[in-house]
Amino acid sequence: MIDQKELKAYLNQLLNVDMIKDYCPNGLQVEGMKSIHTIVTGVSASLELIEAAILKKADAILVHHGYFWKGENQTIAGIKYQRIKSLIKHDINLFAYHLPLDVHPTLGNNAQLAQLLDLNVSAEFDTGTTPNYGILCDHHTTLTELAHLITAKLKRTPLIVGKMNQKIQKIAICTGGAQDFIEHAYHAGADVYISGEISERTTLIARELGITYIAAGHHATERYGIKALGQHLAEHFDLTHHFIDIDNPV
């Protein structure tokens, strides 16, 4: 068991929340019960995840994609109302960590994806942000082998812009919707850049720069950080943890 305030303080320090400028509030977004015994983790705080957490009798939900994004309608109505109503009715805390979870050196989405793919992280690469969001991995392989590995590990076929017989020495990673860092990955010397999503412009930029781009799925590339965070908390505070993967093809 852990007190809600203690968990909030621990997470905010662990993920260095105060040092990262984000598009949403990181930390406790919806307050629930004070004593936490069971936590549920998932990528996004959808109603389906909340309902699954209720069945698990969770005291807290931890997600990567929470609520209250910059520029969105601030009223609590419609879908947002139904989600928050369900959380409050069942006295469940909602914690959300966006960019702080992406960039954490061991528990973060980038680091966890590299670990899943058996890649050794050698450095960050300059994304023009503070801190830098992307990582570099030195790995000698071919694009065909890398594509097969991603398909097997993520259980989905990635979209690839590149030549399958290409030899690879350096791989850049920035999970989720980070396709527009492709030029930064190129200037960092990467042969391949892996992210989650792809835009129409991404294909053209990849072809003209001569860098291979792999869109491995926003949800698929960001399952592993929040799961690792939940496992860490369960071990550190002797909590019950359930990771619930709500299927999302994007």
Side-chain angles (χ1 to χ4, degrees):
M1 183 193 77
I2 185 171
D3 181 79
Q4 173 215 84
K5 290 183 179 179
E6 183 184 353
L7 179 59
K8 175 184 174 181
Y10 179 83
L11 285 167
N12 287 353
Q13 181 177 20
L14 175 68
L15 298 174
N16 205 18
V17 165
D18 292 338
M19 299 300 293
I20 300 173
K21 187 177 180 180
D22 210 335
Y23 320 105
C24 59
N26 288 289
L28 181 63
Q29 290 192 338
V30 179
E31 187 174 355
M33 63 184 67
K34 302 303 180 185
S35 297
I36 297 173
H37 302 262
T38 300
I39 58 174
V40 159
T41 58
V43 177
S44 300
S46 65
L47 186 59
E48 188 175 356
L49 179 67
I50 295 168
E51 290 172 343
I54 292 167
L55 292 177
K56 295 290 186 182
K57 301 186 184 307
D59 309 305
I61 299 172
L62 281 74
V63 295
H64 180 47
H65 302 133
Y67 306 149
F68 313 114
W69 297 92
K70 182 179 179 181
E72 75 173 15
N73 190 329
Q74 295 181 9
T75 60
I76 300 176
I79 290 174
K80 187 187 294 185
Y81 167 75
Q82 293 298 331
R83 292 171 173 178
I84 293 176
K85 174 187 174 184
S86 189
L87 288 168
I88 293 174
K89 178 181 178 181
H90 293 90
D91 209 13
I92 299 174
N93 296 279
L94 176 67
F95 292 85
Y97 293 93
H98 185 232
L99 294 179
L101 184 62
D102 283 320
V103 303
H104 192 275
T106 57
L107 300 173
N109 286 318
N110 293 333
Q112 286 293 312
L113 181 60
Q115 181 177 312
L116 182 74
L117 298 177
D118 299 317
L119 304 176
N120 293 317
V121 179
S122 58
E124 298 175 349
F125 69 90
D126 181 9
T127 55
T129 58
T130 304
N132 289 315
Y133 297 158
I135 58 173
L136 287 172
C137 304
D138 295 322
H139 191 76
H140 295 263
T141 186
T142 66
L143 182 55
T144 299
E145 291 170 345
L146 180 61
H148 288 160
L149 178 63
I150 291 172
T151 300
K153 294 289 188 178
L154 271 61
K155 296 179 173 53
R156 72 190 305 277
T157 303
L159 189 156
I160 299 174
V161 180
K163 298 178 180 178
M164 296 307 292
N165 60 352
Q166 175 189 356
K167 292 183 179 180
I168 297 167
Q169 295 185 29
K170 188 171 290 187
I171 301 168
I173 297 175
C174 190
T175 63
Q179 60 268 45
D180 287 336
F181 288 138
I182 185 171
E183 292 188 60
H184 294 277
Y186 168 78
H187 289 300
D191 306 300
V192 174
Y193 177 41
I194 302 172
S195 189
E197 297 186 16
I198 188 167
S199 301
E200 188 270 347
R201 60 186 174 275
T202 317
T203 299
L204 306 180
I205 293 169
R207 288 173 179 169
E208 291 175 31
L209 289 177
I211 184 173
T212 291
Y213 182 72
I214 299 179
H218 193 138
H219 178 90
T221 59
E222 295 195 330
R223 287 187 292 229
Y224 306 100
I226 198 67
K227 182 179 181 180
L229 180 61
Q231 290 170 338
H232 169 81
L233 294 174
E235 294 167 6
H236 193 73
F237 295 109
D238 192 25
L239 302 172
T240 300
H241 168 233
H242 304 282
F243 171 69
I244 298 176
D245 188 21
I246 304 299
D247 182 58
N248 190 328
V250 174

